Amino acid sequence: MKILVTGGAGFIGSNFCHYCFSNEPSSQIEKIVVVDKLGYSGSIENIAGLMGKKNFEFIQADIGDQKRMEQILFEEKIEAIVHFAAESHVDRSIDDPGLFVQSNVVGTYKLLESAFVYFSSLSPEKKERFRFIHISTDEVYGSIPMDGAPTKEGGLYAPSSPYSASKAASDHFVAAYYKTYGLPALITHSSNNYGPRQHPEKMIPHMICNALEEKQLPVYGQGLNVRDWIYVEDHCEGVWKLLLKGRPGEVYHIGKGSGISNIELVKKICALLDTFFPRSSGKSYAELIRFVADRPGHDLRYALDVSKMKKEIGWQAQVDLDRGLQKTLFWYVENRDWVQSVMNKGYTLKRQGLRGTKLI
């Protein structure tokens, strides 16, 4: 299989590449081609360990460059596209919605056009094998009640932020290209990912990095918002299984199938830090927790019904939250140079009461 991975120098995309070369897929992959424009969240360091492999290639390009993407697809004779590339931080989307429209909506449309031009040229046998997997988010469904049942595939879309709205729009374009043009695409909705190589602006690495530097641990509102967290390697395995068994035109939920409030999560991180890297003062890291003004449009709870993946694909997440957090903590402690290089880029928010708030 020859796979094109968009956003492959980002968090989940790079972990997918590492997973493929270190696990079961390695014997079935002829080549992985990564396309990434190397924006603020993409880093060549994320895939540095793969650059010397003969069956791996990195190309710096923008998925919105249709001619370039068509050229890559034809030259590399791609058999599957895994589309991770996206702007993904909600706070950034509040700051600059247009960037998210351009990247997530227009970029996905342009990629679909490139894929369709290429797909149309394939023989019937190769068309049968071709796949386009679009990686999306549970956030497109909006908030659900605390006592509500987890959202099933086909649930009502109710995005709350410019980020989730842009992902919802891109989902609809992918579905339309399947229904109208026959492009063999499928959509995944994932819960919150965490693990190695995640940008330090995201919640879990942000808390880890701040704590180790004795900085405050900011928690929105009262920290009661509930999220399901999936260790990134589990997510990558789920995507690989869908490449092999997923049905075009279908939607699949990839998550752990559990939930925890933000404040409980931060306290778990503090407890791990207290155990493995105690403060010289002898005080708990939990003392650094500070509640801050809530984010505009902050959804209370996301929860996905993940039973379809288990029933149809034979996959379920394996890494429990405590073990995943411990693995993640040690990765960030052992890779402080990577953290510093990413944090040096910085970013300042400007809108919606977030003006002047420094993410990093």
Side-chain angles (χ1 to χ4, degrees), residues 33-65:
V33 178
V34 163
V35 168
D36 199 300
K37 67 179 181 181
L38 294 182
Y40 85 93
S41 60
S43 173
I44 202 71
E45 294 176 6
N46 288 343
I47 51 175
L50 304 175
M51 295 294 275
K53 293 183 177 292
K54 63 180 180 179
N55 54 348
F56 178 85
E57 183 176 356
F58 169 73
I59 300 173
Q60 186 172 355
D62 190 330
I63 60 170
D65 186 342

PDB file of all heavy atoms in Angstrom, residues 33-65:
ATOM      1  N   VAL A  33       4.044   8.714   2.032  1.00  0.00           N
ATOM      2  CA  VAL A  33       4.430  10.045   1.576  1.00  0.00           C
ATOM      3  C   VAL A  33       3.708  11.052   2.469  1.00  0.00           C
ATOM      4  O   VAL A  33       2.476  11.075   2.521  1.00  0.00           O
ATOM      5  CB  VAL A  33       4.046  10.291   0.104  1.00  0.00           C
ATOM      6  CG1 VAL A  33       4.435  11.709  -0.321  1.00  0.00           C
ATOM      7  CG2 VAL A  33       4.715   9.258  -0.797  1.00  0.00           C
ATOM      8  N   VAL A  34       4.480  11.859   3.180  1.00  0.00           N
ATOM      9  CA  VAL A  34       3.910  12.887   4.045  1.00  0.00           C
ATOM     10  C   VAL A  34       3.903  14.223   3.320  1.00  0.00           C
ATOM     11  O   VAL A  34       4.915  14.644   2.752  1.00  0.00           O
ATOM     12  CB  VAL A  34       4.708  13.018   5.358  1.00  0.00           C
ATOM     13  CG1 VAL A  34       4.393  14.338   6.069  1.00  0.00           C
ATOM     14  CG2 VAL A  34       4.391  11.856   6.286  1.00  0.00           C
ATOM     15  N   VAL A  35       2.749  14.873   3.334  1.00  0.00           N
ATOM     16  CA  VAL A  35       2.630  16.238   2.834  1.00  0.00           C
ATOM     17  C   VAL A  35       2.244  17.124   4.007  1.00  0.00           C
ATOM     18  O   VAL A  35       1.265  16.856   4.699  1.00  0.00           O
ATOM     19  CB  VAL A  35       1.569  16.350   1.718  1.00  0.00           C
ATOM     20  CG1 VAL A  35       1.254  17.814   1.419  1.00  0.00           C
ATOM     21  CG2 VAL A  35       2.055  15.655   0.456  1.00  0.00           C
ATOM     22  N   ASP A  36       3.035  18.174   4.228  1.00  0.00           N
ATOM     23  CA  ASP A  36       2.758  19.094   5.328  1.00  0.00           C
ATOM     24  C   ASP A  36       3.327  20.462   4.948  1.00  0.00           C
ATOM     25  O   ASP A  36       4.438  20.535   4.408  1.00  0.00           O
ATOM     26  CB  ASP A  36       3.406  18.597   6.624  1.00  0.00           C
ATOM     27  CG  ASP A  36       2.797  19.228   7.866  1.00  0.00           C
ATOM     28  OD1 ASP A  36       2.861  20.475   7.981  1.00  0.00           O
ATOM     29  OD2 ASP A  36       2.254  18.496   8.712  1.00  0.00           O
ATOM     30  N   LYS A  37       2.583  21.516   5.208  1.00  0.00           N
ATOM     31  CA  LYS A  37       3.086  22.855   4.875  1.00  0.00           C
ATOM     32  C   LYS A  37       4.002  23.402   5.968  1.00  0.00           C
ATOM     33  O   LYS A  37       4.580  24.481   5.808  1.00  0.00           O
ATOM     34  CB  LYS A  37       1.933  23.820   4.627  1.00  0.00           C
ATOM     35  CG  LYS A  37       1.080  24.138   5.848  1.00  0.00           C
ATOM     36  CD  LYS A  37      -0.031  25.119   5.486  1.00  0.00           C
ATOM     37  CE  LYS A  37      -0.886  25.470   6.704  1.00  0.00           C
ATOM     38  NZ  LYS A  37      -1.980  26.413   6.362  1.00  0.00           N
ATOM     39  N   LEU A  38       4.118  22.670   7.081  1.00  0.00           N
ATOM     40  CA  LEU A  38       4.955  23.065   8.216  1.00  0.00           C
ATOM     41  C   LEU A  38       4.523  24.416   8.777  1.00  0.00           C
ATOM     42  O   LEU A  38       5.318  25.361   8.882  1.00  0.00           O
ATOM     43  CB  LEU A  38       6.442  23.081   7.831  1.00  0.00           C
ATOM     44  CG  LEU A  38       7.059  21.725   7.485  1.00  0.00           C
ATOM     45  CD1 LEU A  38       8.537  21.876   7.179  1.00  0.00           C
ATOM     46  CD2 LEU A  38       6.846  20.717   8.605  1.00  0.00           C
ATOM     47  N   GLY A  39       3.240  24.498   9.143  1.00  0.00           N
ATOM     48  CA  GLY A  39       2.745  25.668   9.854  1.00  0.00           C
ATOM     49  C   GLY A  39       3.217  25.627  11.294  1.00  0.00           C
ATOM     50  O   GLY A  39       4.124  24.865  11.648  1.00  0.00           O
ATOM     51  N   TYR A  40       2.571  26.410  12.156  1.00  0.00           N
ATOM     52  CA  TYR A  40       3.056  26.517  13.537  1.00  0.00           C
ATOM     53  C   TYR A  40       3.039  25.182  14.266  1.00  0.00           C
ATOM     54  O   TYR A  40       3.880  24.912  15.128  1.00  0.00           O
ATOM     55  CB  TYR A  40       2.214  27.549  14.306  1.00  0.00           C
ATOM     56  CG  TYR A  40       0.951  26.979  14.892  1.00  0.00           C
ATOM     57  CD1 TYR A  40       0.916  26.496  16.198  1.00  0.00           C
ATOM     58  CD2 TYR A  40      -0.199  26.877  14.128  1.00  0.00           C
ATOM     59  CE1 TYR A  40      -0.240  25.944  16.726  1.00  0.00           C
ATOM     60  CE2 TYR A  40      -1.349  26.332  14.652  1.00  0.00           C
ATOM     61  CZ  TYR A  40      -1.367  25.875  15.950  1.00  0.00           C
ATOM     62  OH  TYR A  40      -2.512  25.314  16.456  1.00  0.00           O
ATOM     63  N   SER A  41       2.077  24.297  13.945  1.00  0.00           N
ATOM     64  CA  SER A  41       1.939  23.056  14.706  1.00  0.00           C
ATOM     65  C   SER A  41       2.632  21.870  14.046  1.00  0.00           C
ATOM     66  O   SER A  41       2.714  20.794  14.621  1.00  0.00           O
ATOM     67  CB  SER A  41       0.452  22.719  14.907  1.00  0.00           C
ATOM     68  OG  SER A  41      -0.182  22.548  13.655  1.00  0.00           O
ATOM     69  N   GLY A  42       3.135  22.057  12.843  1.00  0.00           N
ATOM     70  CA  GLY A  42       3.865  20.994  12.160  1.00  0.00           C
ATOM     71  C   GLY A  42       5.361  21.187  12.352  1.00  0.00           C
ATOM     72  O   GLY A  42       5.860  22.313  12.276  1.00  0.00           O
ATOM     73  N   SER A  43       6.056  20.124  12.614  1.00  0.00           N
ATOM     74  CA  SER A  43       7.493  20.223  12.865  1.00  0.00           C
ATOM     75  C   SER A  43       8.218  19.066  12.194  1.00  0.00           C
ATOM     76  O   SER A  43       7.829  17.902  12.351  1.00  0.00           O
ATOM     77  CB  SER A  43       7.774  20.213  14.367  1.00  0.00           C
ATOM     78  OG  SER A  43       9.164  20.140  14.613  1.00  0.00           O
ATOM     79  N   ILE A  44       9.267  19.386  11.486  1.00  0.00           N
ATOM     80  CA  ILE A  44      10.062  18.339  10.840  1.00  0.00           C
ATOM     81  C   ILE A  44      10.682  17.416  11.885  1.00  0.00           C
ATOM     82  O   ILE A  44      10.959  16.244  11.616  1.00  0.00           O
ATOM     83  CB  ILE A  44      11.154  18.977   9.941  1.00  0.00           C
ATOM     84  CG1 ILE A  44      11.625  17.977   8.877  1.00  0.00           C
ATOM     85  CG2 ILE A  44      12.296  19.504  10.747  1.00  0.00           C
ATOM     86  CD1 ILE A  44      10.609  17.691   7.801  1.00  0.00           C
ATOM     87  N   GLU A  45      10.854  17.929  13.103  1.00  0.00           N
ATOM     88  CA  GLU A  45      11.407  17.111  14.179  1.00  0.00           C
ATOM     89  C   GLU A  45      10.485  15.941  14.526  1.00  0.00           C
ATOM     90  O   GLU A  45      10.949  14.904  15.016  1.00  0.00           O
ATOM     91  CB  GLU A  45      11.645  17.968  15.425  1.00  0.00           C
ATOM     92  CG  GLU A  45      12.710  19.034  15.248  1.00  0.00           C
ATOM     93  CD  GLU A  45      12.840  19.925  16.458  1.00  0.00           C
ATOM     94  OE1 GLU A  45      12.170  19.644  17.478  1.00  0.00           O
ATOM     95  OE2 GLU A  45      13.613  20.894  16.406  1.00  0.00           O
ATOM     96  N   ASN A  46       9.197  16.101  14.277  1.00  0.00           N
ATOM     97  CA  ASN A  46       8.244  15.038  14.596  1.00  0.00           C
ATOM     98  C   ASN A  46       8.461  13.785  13.755  1.00  0.00           C
ATOM     99  O   ASN A  46       8.060  12.689  14.155  1.00  0.00           O
ATOM    100  CB  ASN A  46       6.819  15.537  14.390  1.00  0.00           C
ATOM    101  CG  ASN A  46       6.380  16.522  15.450  1.00  0.00           C
ATOM    102  OD1 ASN A  46       6.986  16.613  16.513  1.00  0.00           O
ATOM    103  ND2 ASN A  46       5.322  17.261  15.168  1.00  0.00           N
ATOM    104  N   ILE A  47       9.048  13.951  12.576  1.00  0.00           N
ATOM    105  CA  ILE A  47       9.263  12.806  11.687  1.00  0.00           C
ATOM    106  C   ILE A  47      10.740  12.592  11.373  1.00  0.00           C
ATOM    107  O   ILE A  47      11.090  11.824  10.470  1.00  0.00           O
ATOM    108  CB  ILE A  47       8.466  12.972  10.367  1.00  0.00           C
ATOM    109  CG1 ILE A  47       8.741  14.334   9.738  1.00  0.00           C
ATOM    110  CG2 ILE A  47       6.969  12.781  10.619  1.00  0.00           C
ATOM    111  CD1 ILE A  47       8.094  14.533   8.387  1.00  0.00           C
ATOM    112  N   ALA A  48      11.604  13.257  12.130  1.00  0.00           N
ATOM    113  CA  ALA A  48      13.043  13.178  11.856  1.00  0.00           C
ATOM    114  C   ALA A  48      13.546  11.736  11.875  1.00  0.00           C
ATOM    115  O   ALA A  48      14.391  11.352  11.058  1.00  0.00           O
ATOM    116  CB  ALA A  48      13.814  14.023  12.870  1.00  0.00           C
ATOM    117  N   GLY A  49      12.999  10.931  12.772  1.00  0.00           N
ATOM    118  CA  GLY A  49      13.450   9.548  12.877  1.00  0.00           C
ATOM    119  C   GLY A  49      13.047   8.669  11.713  1.00  0.00           C
ATOM    120  O   GLY A  49      13.525   7.536  11.583  1.00  0.00           O
ATOM    121  N   LEU A  50      12.182   9.179  10.851  1.00  0.00           N
ATOM    122  CA  LEU A  50      11.716   8.403   9.705  1.00  0.00           C
ATOM    123  C   LEU A  50      12.367   8.841   8.395  1.00  0.00           C
ATOM    124  O   LEU A  50      12.224   8.151   7.381  1.00  0.00           O
ATOM    125  CB  LEU A  50      10.191   8.548   9.558  1.00  0.00           C
ATOM    126  CG  LEU A  50       9.352   8.166  10.776  1.00  0.00           C
ATOM    127  CD1 LEU A  50       7.879   8.478  10.513  1.00  0.00           C
ATOM    128  CD2 LEU A  50       9.525   6.693  11.124  1.00  0.00           C
ATOM    129  N   MET A  51      13.057   9.966   8.411  1.00  0.00           N
ATOM    130  CA  MET A  51      13.519  10.590   7.167  1.00  0.00           C
ATOM    131  C   MET A  51      14.501   9.723   6.384  1.00  0.00           C
ATOM    132  O   MET A  51      14.602   9.839   5.178  1.00  0.00           O
ATOM    133  CB  MET A  51      14.143  11.949   7.473  1.00  0.00           C
ATOM    134  CG  MET A  51      13.150  12.961   8.036  1.00  0.00           C
ATOM    135  SD  MET A  51      11.880  13.450   6.849  1.00  0.00           S
ATOM    136  CE  MET A  51      12.739  14.745   5.976  1.00  0.00           C
ATOM    137  N   GLY A  52      15.217   8.846   7.056  1.00  0.00           N
ATOM    138  CA  GLY A  52      16.200   8.030   6.352  1.00  0.00           C
ATOM    139  C   GLY A  52      15.657   6.749   5.751  1.00  0.00           C
ATOM    140  O   GLY A  52      16.372   6.036   5.037  1.00  0.00           O
ATOM    141  N   LYS A  53      14.394   6.455   6.010  1.00  0.00           N
ATOM    142  CA  LYS A  53      13.814   5.211   5.528  1.00  0.00           C
ATOM    143  C   LYS A  53      13.561   5.301   4.017  1.00  0.00           C
ATOM    144  O   LYS A  53      13.054   6.297   3.509  1.00  0.00           O
ATOM    145  CB  LYS A  53      12.505   4.900   6.255  1.00  0.00           C
ATOM    146  CG  LYS A  53      12.691   4.574   7.731  1.00  0.00           C
ATOM    147  CD  LYS A  53      11.371   4.197   8.370  1.00  0.00           C
ATOM    148  CE  LYS A  53      11.556   3.796   9.825  1.00  0.00           C
ATOM    149  NZ  LYS A  53      12.316   2.524   9.961  1.00  0.00           N
ATOM    150  N   LYS A  54      13.859   4.200   3.307  1.00  0.00           N
ATOM    151  CA  LYS A  54      13.704   4.214   1.854  1.00  0.00           C
ATOM    152  C   LYS A  54      12.246   4.252   1.425  1.00  0.00           C
ATOM    153  O   LYS A  54      11.939   4.669   0.299  1.00  0.00           O
ATOM    154  CB  LYS A  54      14.396   2.996   1.244  1.00  0.00           C
ATOM    155  CG  LYS A  54      13.814   1.655   1.665  1.00  0.00           C
ATOM    156  CD  LYS A  54      14.551   0.503   1.014  1.00  0.00           C
ATOM    157  CE  LYS A  54      13.967  -0.850   1.425  1.00  0.00           C
ATOM    158  NZ  LYS A  54      14.680  -1.987   0.776  1.00  0.00           N
ATOM    159  N   ASN A  55      11.349   3.816   2.298  1.00  0.00           N
ATOM    160  CA  ASN A  55       9.920   3.804   1.957  1.00  0.00           C
ATOM    161  C   ASN A  55       9.155   4.922   2.659  1.00  0.00           C
ATOM    162  O   ASN A  55       7.972   4.807   2.938  1.00  0.00           O
ATOM    163  CB  ASN A  55       9.285   2.455   2.273  1.00  0.00           C
ATOM    164  CG  ASN A  55       9.510   2.004   3.698  1.00  0.00           C
ATOM    165  OD1 ASN A  55      10.329   2.587   4.420  1.00  0.00           O
ATOM    166  ND2 ASN A  55       8.785   0.978   4.107  1.00  0.00           N
ATOM    167  N   PHE A  56       9.880   6.023   2.948  1.00  0.00           N
ATOM    168  CA  PHE A  56       9.252   7.205   3.542  1.00  0.00           C
ATOM    169  C   PHE A  56       9.741   8.440   2.814  1.00  0.00           C
ATOM    170  O   PHE A  56      10.934   8.563   2.509  1.00  0.00           O
ATOM    171  CB  PHE A  56       9.602   7.314   5.028  1.00  0.00           C
ATOM    172  CG  PHE A  56       9.023   8.536   5.697  1.00  0.00           C
ATOM    173  CD1 PHE A  56       7.737   8.523   6.200  1.00  0.00           C
ATOM    174  CD2 PHE A  56       9.770   9.712   5.808  1.00  0.00           C
ATOM    175  CE1 PHE A  56       7.195   9.652   6.803  1.00  0.00           C
ATOM    176  CE2 PHE A  56       9.242  10.835   6.413  1.00  0.00           C
ATOM    177  CZ  PHE A  56       7.945  10.803   6.912  1.00  0.00           C
ATOM    178  N   GLU A  57       8.815   9.356   2.530  1.00  0.00           N
ATOM    179  CA  GLU A  57       9.200  10.594   1.863  1.00  0.00           C
ATOM    180  C   GLU A  57       8.404  11.757   2.446  1.00  0.00           C
ATOM    181  O   GLU A  57       7.197  11.645   2.682  1.00  0.00           O
ATOM    182  CB  GLU A  57       8.951  10.513   0.362  1.00  0.00           C
ATOM    183  CG  GLU A  57       9.399  11.765  -0.400  1.00  0.00           C
ATOM    184  CD  GLU A  57       9.237  11.640  -1.908  1.00  0.00           C
ATOM    185  OE1 GLU A  57       8.847  10.552  -2.368  1.00  0.00           O
ATOM    186  OE2 GLU A  57       9.505  12.633  -2.610  1.00  0.00           O
ATOM    187  N   PHE A  58       9.089  12.865   2.675  1.00  0.00           N
ATOM    188  CA  PHE A  58       8.435  14.088   3.126  1.00  0.00           C
ATOM    189  C   PHE A  58       8.442  15.123   2.021  1.00  0.00           C
ATOM    190  O   PHE A  58       9.481  15.357   1.380  1.00  0.00           O
ATOM    191  CB  PHE A  58       9.137  14.663   4.356  1.00  0.00           C
ATOM    192  CG  PHE A  58       8.659  16.050   4.695  1.00  0.00           C
ATOM    193  CD1 PHE A  58       7.400  16.253   5.257  1.00  0.00           C
ATOM    194  CD2 PHE A  58       9.449  17.164   4.421  1.00  0.00           C
ATOM    195  CE1 PHE A  58       6.947  17.536   5.537  1.00  0.00           C
ATOM    196  CE2 PHE A  58       9.006  18.440   4.708  1.00  0.00           C
ATOM    197  CZ  PHE A  58       7.745  18.629   5.271  1.00  0.00           C
ATOM    198  N   ILE A  59       7.283  15.743   1.789  1.00  0.00           N
ATOM    199  CA  ILE A  59       7.158  16.811   0.799  1.00  0.00           C
ATOM    200  C   ILE A  59       6.500  18.005   1.476  1.00  0.00           C
ATOM    201  O   ILE A  59       5.387  17.888   1.997  1.00  0.00           O
ATOM    202  CB  ILE A  59       6.306  16.376  -0.408  1.00  0.00           C
ATOM    203  CG1 ILE A  59       6.938  15.158  -1.099  1.00  0.00           C
ATOM    204  CG2 ILE A  59       6.135  17.529  -1.396  1.00  0.00           C
ATOM    205  CD1 ILE A  59       6.072  14.553  -2.202  1.00  0.00           C
ATOM    206  N   GLN A  60       7.186  19.138   1.482  1.00  0.00           N
ATOM    207  CA  GLN A  60       6.585  20.345   2.032  1.00  0.00           C
ATOM    208  C   GLN A  60       5.673  20.955   0.981  1.00  0.00           C
ATOM    209  O   GLN A  60       6.120  21.419  -0.069  1.00  0.00           O
ATOM    210  CB  GLN A  60       7.647  21.352   2.464  1.00  0.00           C
ATOM    211  CG  GLN A  60       7.040  22.566   3.170  1.00  0.00           C
ATOM    212  CD  GLN A  60       8.092  23.484   3.767  1.00  0.00           C
ATOM    213  OE1 GLN A  60       9.289  23.183   3.735  1.00  0.00           O
ATOM    214  NE2 GLN A  60       7.654  24.597   4.341  1.00  0.00           N
ATOM    215  N   ALA A  61       4.385  20.923   1.257  1.00  0.00           N
ATOM    216  CA  ALA A  61       3.393  21.433   0.309  1.00  0.00           C
ATOM    217  C   ALA A  61       2.101  21.718   1.052  1.00  0.00           C
ATOM    218  O   ALA A  61       1.871  21.217   2.151  1.00  0.00           O
ATOM    219  CB  ALA A  61       3.144  20.429  -0.818  1.00  0.00           C
ATOM    220  N   ASP A  62       1.256  22.527   0.440  1.00  0.00           N
ATOM    221  CA  ASP A  62      -0.036  22.905   1.008  1.00  0.00           C
ATOM    222  C   ASP A  62      -1.121  22.102   0.309  1.00  0.00           C
ATOM    223  O   ASP A  62      -1.153  22.051  -0.929  1.00  0.00           O
ATOM    224  CB  ASP A  62      -0.259  24.406   0.794  1.00  0.00           C
ATOM    225  CG  ASP A  62      -1.457  24.944   1.562  1.00  0.00           C
ATOM    226  OD1 ASP A  62      -2.430  24.185   1.785  1.00  0.00           O
ATOM    227  OD2 ASP A  62      -1.441  26.140   1.918  1.00  0.00           O
ATOM    228  N   ILE A  63      -2.022  21.483   1.067  1.00  0.00           N
ATOM    229  CA  ILE A  63      -3.100  20.702   0.446  1.00  0.00           C
ATOM    230  C   ILE A  63      -4.008  21.582  -0.412  1.00  0.00           C
ATOM    231  O   ILE A  63      -4.732  21.083  -1.268  1.00  0.00           O
ATOM    232  CB  ILE A  63      -3.951  19.962   1.501  1.00  0.00           C
ATOM    233  CG1 ILE A  63      -4.603  20.956   2.483  1.00  0.00           C
ATOM    234  CG2 ILE A  63      -3.122  18.924   2.228  1.00  0.00           C
ATOM    235  CD1 ILE A  63      -5.628  20.327   3.385  1.00  0.00           C
ATOM    236  N   GLY A  64      -3.957  22.895  -0.184  1.00  0.00           N
ATOM    237  CA  GLY A  64      -4.749  23.822  -0.987  1.00  0.00           C
ATOM    238  C   GLY A  64      -4.170  24.091  -2.353  1.00  0.00           C
ATOM    239  O   GLY A  64      -4.823  24.715  -3.198  1.00  0.00           O
ATOM    240  N   ASP A  65      -2.962  23.601  -2.600  1.00  0.00           N
ATOM    241  CA  ASP A  65      -2.324  23.744  -3.911  1.00  0.00           C
ATOM    242  C   ASP A  65      -2.724  22.542  -4.763  1.00  0.00           C
ATOM    243  O   ASP A  65      -2.063  21.508  -4.777  1.00  0.00           O
ATOM    244  CB  ASP A  65      -0.804  23.808  -3.737  1.00  0.00           C
ATOM    245  CG  ASP A  65      -0.062  24.093  -5.036  1.00  0.00           C
ATOM    246  OD1 ASP A  65      -0.663  23.913  -6.116  1.00  0.00           O
ATOM    247  OD2 ASP A  65       1.114  24.480  -4.965  1.00  0.00           O
TER     248      ASP A  65
END
